Amino acid sequence: MKLCFAANASREIGVGHAMRLISLAEVAKQRLIEFKFFGKFTEVPWLWNYMKTIGIEANEDLSKINDINSSEFTLIVDSYDKSFINELLNCSWKQTLLFLDEEFPMYDFTTYIHPTIECCYKTHINANFLCGKKYIPFRKKIEKIKPEIFDSPFVKSLLIISGGTDPHGMINGVLDEIEKIDLLKKIQVFVVADKSMVRKKKNLNLVILKPGVEIDAILKSGMAVITAAGITSLEMVAREIPIGIIKVSKNQDSNFESLARKELVLPVGSRG
């Protein structure tokens, strides 16, 4: 088996697409499966550094695909970039697989995967279609936190994660609301974001952490999380961490609604 992963990340679309495939690449590496990783991450330089720390090399130059025998590889794509996808499909692959969210792209793939809590697609396409929670890829280091870690009935600290980028100002919007609540002013607030994205808050006990930080290392007893309704929210649910979610893009509609309907999260609202 040989795999070729291809994904995009940017300030506008976030890093969820890339993180899903990075999760699979980690497993491939562990199992000694040969793989290549192609991606456009220019706007998110910390993602390159994160991949280096876990030993995964990525190439931004799609022309380098010509250096491999693509007919021996299964192509796995997670992207909304039409030109990116079309360029990939110009090559001859053993099989092709596409991860998708809300909108169904009209491409000629062998298999489609919709990773979600509840399957909402009804399709008549002539291809394999896999849908549901068992197809949600998690990072290798994600493990369920033992119940005793949350031994406090009160929230002592709050972790806010935007998903690596924050084009709709979710973080600052949450911080503005926290400032209005006297009780929350007393807790420690951790924010995972580039410092340039976060407005200074004199009235909050605020700690800004660089994107790519190992979240497991900072989870504490009595900590709650607020994040966008993307892949990070699913990872937090898997850890059984108290979480509030915010919908920041249309492709998070079904995830937001499914998690809220099953009462796995607190639906905070939408942004953007």
Side-chain angles (χ1 to χ4, degrees), residues 143-159 215-216 218-226 235-243:
E143 294 181 358
K144 185 185 293 186
I145 299 299
K146 295 180 180 179
E148 56 264 29
I149 194 171
F150 301 109
D151 56 5
S152 170
F154 305 104
V155 173
K156 296 179 180 178
S157 57
L158 183 65
L159 175 63
I215 297 173
D216 286 330
I218 60 175
L219 287 170
K220 300 178 180 179
S221 176
M223 176 176 277
V225 174
I226 294 180
E235 290 177 339
M236 294 299 158
V237 169
R239 286 181 168 108
E240 298 185 350
I241 293 174
I243 175 177

Tab-separated table of all heavy atoms in Angstrom, residues 143-159 215-216 218-226 235-243:
chain	number	residue	atom	x	y	z
A	143	GLU	N	-6.128	11.265	23.451
A	143	GLU	CA	-6.595	10.168	24.287
A	143	GLU	C	-7.668	10.703	25.236
A	143	GLU	O	-7.660	11.871	25.599
A	143	GLU	CB	-5.442	9.569	25.102
A	143	GLU	CG	-4.378	8.890	24.237
A	143	GLU	CD	-3.273	8.294	25.083
A	143	GLU	OE1	-3.351	8.453	26.322
A	143	GLU	OE2	-2.360	7.684	24.524
A	144	LYS	N	-8.559	9.824	25.621
A	144	LYS	CA	-9.603	10.238	26.553
A	144	LYS	C	-8.972	10.598	27.898
A	144	LYS	O	-8.189	9.835	28.451
A	144	LYS	CB	-10.619	9.111	26.744
A	144	LYS	CG	-11.811	9.507	27.620
A	144	LYS	CD	-12.721	8.325	27.868
A	144	LYS	CE	-13.402	7.868	26.599
A	144	LYS	NZ	-14.399	6.808	26.879
A	145	ILE	N	-9.303	11.770	28.419
A	145	ILE	CA	-8.810	12.177	29.724
A	145	ILE	C	-9.551	11.387	30.810
A	145	ILE	O	-10.761	11.211	30.748
A	145	ILE	CB	-9.031	13.690	29.938
A	145	ILE	CG1	-8.260	14.479	28.878
A	145	ILE	CG2	-8.602	14.109	31.333
A	145	ILE	CD1	-6.772	14.276	28.911
A	146	LYS	N	-8.817	10.900	31.787
A	146	LYS	CA	-9.456	10.155	32.871
A	146	LYS	C	-10.477	11.041	33.584
A	146	LYS	O	-10.215	12.210	33.830
A	146	LYS	CB	-8.396	9.665	33.856
A	146	LYS	CG	-7.435	8.644	33.244
A	146	LYS	CD	-6.400	8.200	34.262
A	146	LYS	CE	-5.450	7.188	33.646
A	146	LYS	NZ	-4.407	6.758	34.615
A	147	PRO	N	-11.627	10.489	33.970
A	147	PRO	CA	-12.683	11.296	34.589
A	147	PRO	C	-12.222	12.079	35.811
A	147	PRO	O	-12.686	13.184	36.056
A	147	PRO	CB	-13.729	10.238	34.979
A	147	PRO	CG	-13.503	9.114	34.028
A	147	PRO	CD	-12.018	9.093	33.768
A	148	GLU	N	-11.258	11.522	36.571
A	148	GLU	CA	-10.849	12.203	37.797
A	148	GLU	C	-10.118	13.513	37.540
A	148	GLU	O	-9.927	14.308	38.459
A	148	GLU	CB	-9.970	11.285	38.668
A	148	GLU	CG	-8.740	10.737	37.961
A	148	GLU	CD	-8.994	9.348	37.391
A	148	GLU	OE1	-10.164	9.060	37.051
A	148	GLU	OE2	-8.038	8.588	37.286
A	149	ILE	N	-9.681	13.753	36.296
A	149	ILE	CA	-9.002	15.016	36.018
A	149	ILE	C	-9.975	16.188	36.203
A	149	ILE	O	-9.578	17.301	36.505
A	149	ILE	CB	-8.394	15.055	34.603
A	149	ILE	CG1	-7.407	16.220	34.495
A	149	ILE	CG2	-9.431	15.195	33.527
A	149	ILE	CD1	-6.590	16.213	33.224
A	150	PHE	N	-11.259	15.928	36.021
A	150	PHE	CA	-12.256	16.977	36.215
A	150	PHE	C	-12.961	16.765	37.552
A	150	PHE	O	-14.151	16.473	37.611
A	150	PHE	CB	-13.253	16.980	35.056
A	150	PHE	CG	-12.585	17.206	33.739
A	150	PHE	CD1	-12.468	16.191	32.811
A	150	PHE	CD2	-12.026	18.438	33.433
A	150	PHE	CE1	-11.821	16.396	31.610
A	150	PHE	CE2	-11.378	18.648	32.234
A	150	PHE	CZ	-11.276	17.631	31.319
A	151	ASP	N	-12.179	16.902	38.629
A	151	ASP	CA	-12.702	16.629	39.962
A	151	ASP	C	-13.351	17.851	40.594
A	151	ASP	O	-13.797	17.819	41.723
A	151	ASP	CB	-11.589	16.113	40.882
A	151	ASP	CG	-10.408	17.082	40.956
A	151	ASP	OD1	-10.502	18.175	40.370
A	151	ASP	OD2	-9.402	16.727	41.595
A	152	SER	N	-13.376	18.966	39.854
A	152	SER	CA	-13.960	20.191	40.385
A	152	SER	C	-15.326	20.436	39.761
A	152	SER	O	-15.491	20.306	38.553
A	152	SER	CB	-13.056	21.391	40.093
A	152	SER	OG	-13.727	22.605	40.402
A	153	PRO	N	-16.325	20.804	40.592
A	153	PRO	CA	-17.652	21.106	40.044
A	153	PRO	C	-17.714	22.490	39.416
A	153	PRO	O	-18.723	22.870	38.844
A	153	PRO	CB	-18.555	21.032	41.285
A	153	PRO	CG	-17.661	21.427	42.414
A	153	PRO	CD	-16.295	20.873	42.060
A	154	PHE	N	-16.616	23.248	39.526
A	154	PHE	CA	-16.594	24.600	38.998
A	154	PHE	C	-15.532	24.740	37.918
A	154	PHE	O	-14.520	24.043	37.923
A	154	PHE	CB	-16.296	25.606	40.119
A	154	PHE	CG	-17.239	25.506	41.280
A	154	PHE	CD1	-16.841	24.913	42.452
A	154	PHE	CD2	-18.535	26.000	41.191
A	154	PHE	CE1	-17.699	24.803	43.528
A	154	PHE	CE2	-19.410	25.898	42.257
A	154	PHE	CZ	-18.992	25.296	43.422
A	155	VAL	N	-15.770	25.640	36.981
A	155	VAL	CA	-14.776	25.936	35.954
A	155	VAL	C	-13.713	26.847	36.566
A	155	VAL	O	-13.998	27.952	37.005
A	155	VAL	CB	-15.433	26.631	34.737
A	155	VAL	CG1	-14.357	27.081	33.754
A	155	VAL	CG2	-16.414	25.692	34.065
A	156	LYS	N	-12.488	26.346	36.603
A	156	LYS	CA	-11.385	27.120	37.161
A	156	LYS	C	-10.598	27.849	36.081
A	156	LYS	O	-9.957	28.860	36.343
A	156	LYS	CB	-10.437	26.196	37.934
A	156	LYS	CG	-11.066	25.531	39.149
A	156	LYS	CD	-10.058	24.615	39.830
A	156	LYS	CE	-10.652	23.941	41.055
A	156	LYS	NZ	-9.680	23.013	41.690
A	157	SER	N	-10.633	27.297	34.885
A	157	SER	CA	-9.905	27.934	33.784
A	157	SER	C	-10.610	27.623	32.474
A	157	SER	O	-11.390	26.675	32.375
A	157	SER	CB	-8.452	27.457	33.739
A	157	SER	OG	-8.382	26.047	33.614
A	158	LEU	N	-10.317	28.420	31.467
A	158	LEU	CA	-10.986	28.304	30.169
A	158	LEU	C	-9.951	28.298	29.060
A	158	LEU	O	-9.014	29.102	29.067
A	158	LEU	CB	-11.947	29.476	29.977
A	158	LEU	CG	-12.794	29.503	28.704
A	158	LEU	CD1	-13.773	28.336	28.700
A	158	LEU	CD2	-13.552	30.812	28.610
A	159	LEU	N	-10.106	27.371	28.128
A	159	LEU	CA	-9.221	27.284	26.974
A	159	LEU	C	-10.009	27.642	25.724
A	159	LEU	O	-11.048	27.028	25.435
A	159	LEU	CB	-8.652	25.869	26.845
A	159	LEU	CG	-7.797	25.561	25.614
A	159	LEU	CD1	-6.533	26.418	25.602
A	159	LEU	CD2	-7.431	24.078	25.574
A	215	ILE	N	-2.023	20.513	23.201
A	215	ILE	CA	-3.124	20.869	24.080
A	215	ILE	C	-3.206	19.941	25.284
A	215	ILE	O	-3.557	20.363	26.390
A	215	ILE	CB	-4.451	20.857	23.295
A	215	ILE	CG1	-4.411	21.928	22.194
A	215	ILE	CG2	-5.633	21.105	24.215
A	215	ILE	CD1	-5.598	21.886	21.265
A	216	ASP	N	-2.861	18.663	25.093
A	216	ASP	CA	-2.914	17.723	26.203
A	216	ASP	C	-2.082	18.194	27.386
A	216	ASP	O	-2.393	17.912	28.541
A	216	ASP	CB	-2.411	16.345	25.759
A	216	ASP	CG	-3.414	15.631	24.876
A	216	ASP	OD1	-4.616	15.879	25.050
A	216	ASP	OD2	-2.999	14.851	24.016
A	218	ILE	N	-1.669	21.138	28.560
A	218	ILE	CA	-2.178	22.272	29.340
A	218	ILE	C	-3.569	22.019	29.917
A	218	ILE	O	-4.074	22.839	30.671
A	218	ILE	CB	-2.214	23.563	28.493
A	218	ILE	CG1	-3.132	23.387	27.279
A	218	ILE	CG2	-0.827	23.978	28.068
A	218	ILE	CD1	-3.310	24.658	26.478
A	219	LEU	N	-4.185	20.887	29.577
A	219	LEU	CA	-5.494	20.575	30.145
A	219	LEU	C	-5.371	20.351	31.645
A	219	LEU	O	-4.494	19.630	32.111
A	219	LEU	CB	-6.076	19.331	29.477
A	219	LEU	CG	-6.572	19.543	28.045
A	219	LEU	CD1	-6.905	18.216	27.408
A	219	LEU	CD2	-7.773	20.461	28.019
A	220	LYS	N	-6.240	20.996	32.394
A	220	LYS	CA	-6.173	20.929	33.844
A	220	LYS	C	-7.534	20.574	34.431
A	220	LYS	O	-8.565	20.669	33.760
A	220	LYS	CB	-5.737	22.288	34.411
A	220	LYS	CG	-4.378	22.772	33.937
A	220	LYS	CD	-4.087	24.139	34.518
A	220	LYS	CE	-2.723	24.652	34.058
A	220	LYS	NZ	-2.444	25.998	34.615
A	221	SER	N	-7.513	20.187	35.694
A	221	SER	CA	-8.758	19.934	36.387
A	221	SER	C	-9.593	21.210	36.430
A	221	SER	O	-9.082	22.294	36.703
A	221	SER	CB	-8.467	19.472	37.813
A	221	SER	OG	-9.654	19.301	38.528
A	222	GLY	N	-10.870	21.074	36.123
A	222	GLY	CA	-11.748	22.230	36.155
A	222	GLY	C	-11.649	23.121	34.941
A	222	GLY	O	-12.126	24.250	34.960
A	223	MET	N	-11.039	22.644	33.860
A	223	MET	CA	-10.909	23.456	32.643
A	223	MET	C	-12.050	23.151	31.678
A	223	MET	O	-12.438	21.998	31.499
A	223	MET	CB	-9.570	23.194	31.948
A	223	MET	CG	-9.399	23.930	30.620
A	223	MET	SD	-7.752	23.703	29.884
A	223	MET	CE	-6.817	24.949	30.765
A	224	ALA	N	-12.581	24.191	31.076
A	224	ALA	CA	-13.575	24.043	30.018
A	224	ALA	C	-12.985	24.620	28.738
A	224	ALA	O	-11.992	25.357	28.769
A	224	ALA	CB	-14.862	24.772	30.384
A	225	VAL	N	-13.586	24.278	27.607
A	225	VAL	CA	-13.053	24.680	26.304
A	225	VAL	C	-14.139	25.350	25.474
A	225	VAL	O	-15.302	24.930	25.497
A	225	VAL	CB	-12.496	23.459	25.530
A	225	VAL	CG1	-12.074	23.856	24.120
A	225	VAL	CG2	-11.324	22.846	26.276
A	226	ILE	N	-13.764	26.396	24.762
A	226	ILE	CA	-14.621	26.995	23.745
A	226	ILE	C	-13.863	26.960	22.434
A	226	ILE	O	-12.710	27.408	22.361
A	226	ILE	CB	-15.008	28.444	24.092
A	226	ILE	CG1	-15.894	28.480	25.345
A	226	ILE	CG2	-15.758	29.093	22.922
A	226	ILE	CD1	-16.331	29.871	25.753
A	235	GLU	N	-12.563	16.397	18.737
A	235	GLU	CA	-11.470	15.878	19.564
A	235	GLU	C	-11.762	16.117	21.045
A	235	GLU	O	-11.491	15.264	21.895
A	235	GLU	CB	-10.153	16.536	19.165
A	235	GLU	CG	-9.663	16.101	17.795
A	235	GLU	CD	-8.391	16.805	17.369
A	235	GLU	OE1	-8.086	17.888	17.909
A	235	GLU	OE2	-7.703	16.273	16.491
A	236	MET	N	-12.309	17.278	21.373
A	236	MET	CA	-12.627	17.597	22.764
A	236	MET	C	-13.768	16.728	23.288
A	236	MET	O	-13.752	16.281	24.430
A	236	MET	CB	-12.991	19.078	22.903
A	236	MET	CG	-11.848	20.018	22.614
A	236	MET	SD	-10.476	19.761	23.759
A	236	MET	CE	-9.125	20.463	22.789
A	237	VAL	N	-14.759	16.471	22.434
A	237	VAL	CA	-15.855	15.585	22.823
A	237	VAL	C	-15.307	14.185	23.097
A	237	VAL	O	-15.700	13.517	24.060
A	237	VAL	CB	-16.940	15.549	21.731
A	237	VAL	CG1	-17.945	14.422	21.999
A	237	VAL	CG2	-17.669	16.880	21.661
A	238	ALA	N	-14.367	13.735	22.253
A	238	ALA	CA	-13.761	12.418	22.438
A	238	ALA	C	-13.013	12.334	23.763
A	238	ALA	O	-12.932	11.272	24.380
A	238	ALA	CB	-12.810	12.114	21.278
A	239	ARG	N	-12.475	13.459	24.212
A	239	ARG	CA	-11.769	13.504	25.495
A	239	ARG	C	-12.734	13.632	26.678
A	239	ARG	O	-12.332	13.579	27.821
A	239	ARG	CB	-10.849	14.730	25.527
A	239	ARG	CG	-9.588	14.661	24.701
A	239	ARG	CD	-8.865	15.974	24.935
A	239	ARG	NE	-7.508	15.997	24.455
A	239	ARG	CZ	-7.101	16.670	23.387
A	239	ARG	NH1	-7.982	17.305	22.649
A	239	ARG	NH2	-5.841	16.681	23.032
A	240	GLU	N	-14.011	13.850	26.385
A	240	GLU	CA	-15.036	14.062	27.410
A	240	GLU	C	-14.746	15.333	28.214
A	240	GLU	O	-14.889	15.372	29.444
A	240	GLU	CB	-15.158	12.841	28.330
A	240	GLU	CG	-15.596	11.589	27.592
A	240	GLU	CD	-15.839	10.413	28.501
A	240	GLU	OE1	-15.500	10.495	29.697
A	240	GLU	OE2	-16.377	9.406	28.027
A	241	ILE	N	-14.355	16.382	27.504
A	241	ILE	CA	-14.071	17.672	28.127
A	241	ILE	C	-15.291	18.583	27.991
A	241	ILE	O	-15.898	18.639	26.921
A	241	ILE	CB	-12.841	18.318	27.456
A	241	ILE	CG1	-11.598	17.488	27.766
A	241	ILE	CG2	-12.652	19.756	27.915
A	241	ILE	CD1	-10.366	17.961	27.036
A	242	PRO	N	-15.663	19.311	29.040
A	242	PRO	CA	-16.764	20.288	28.929
A	242	PRO	C	-16.439	21.305	27.843
A	242	PRO	O	-15.392	21.938	27.866
A	242	PRO	CB	-16.790	20.943	30.312
A	242	PRO	CG	-16.127	19.959	31.229
A	242	PRO	CD	-15.087	19.283	30.392
A	243	ILE	N	-17.343	21.462	26.880
A	243	ILE	CA	-17.016	22.282	25.714
A	243	ILE	C	-18.206	23.093	25.224
A	243	ILE	O	-19.347	22.614	25.218
A	243	ILE	CB	-16.474	21.384	24.560
A	243	ILE	CG1	-16.233	22.200	23.288
A	243	ILE	CG2	-17.394	20.227	24.297
A	243	ILE	CD1	-15.644	21.402	22.147
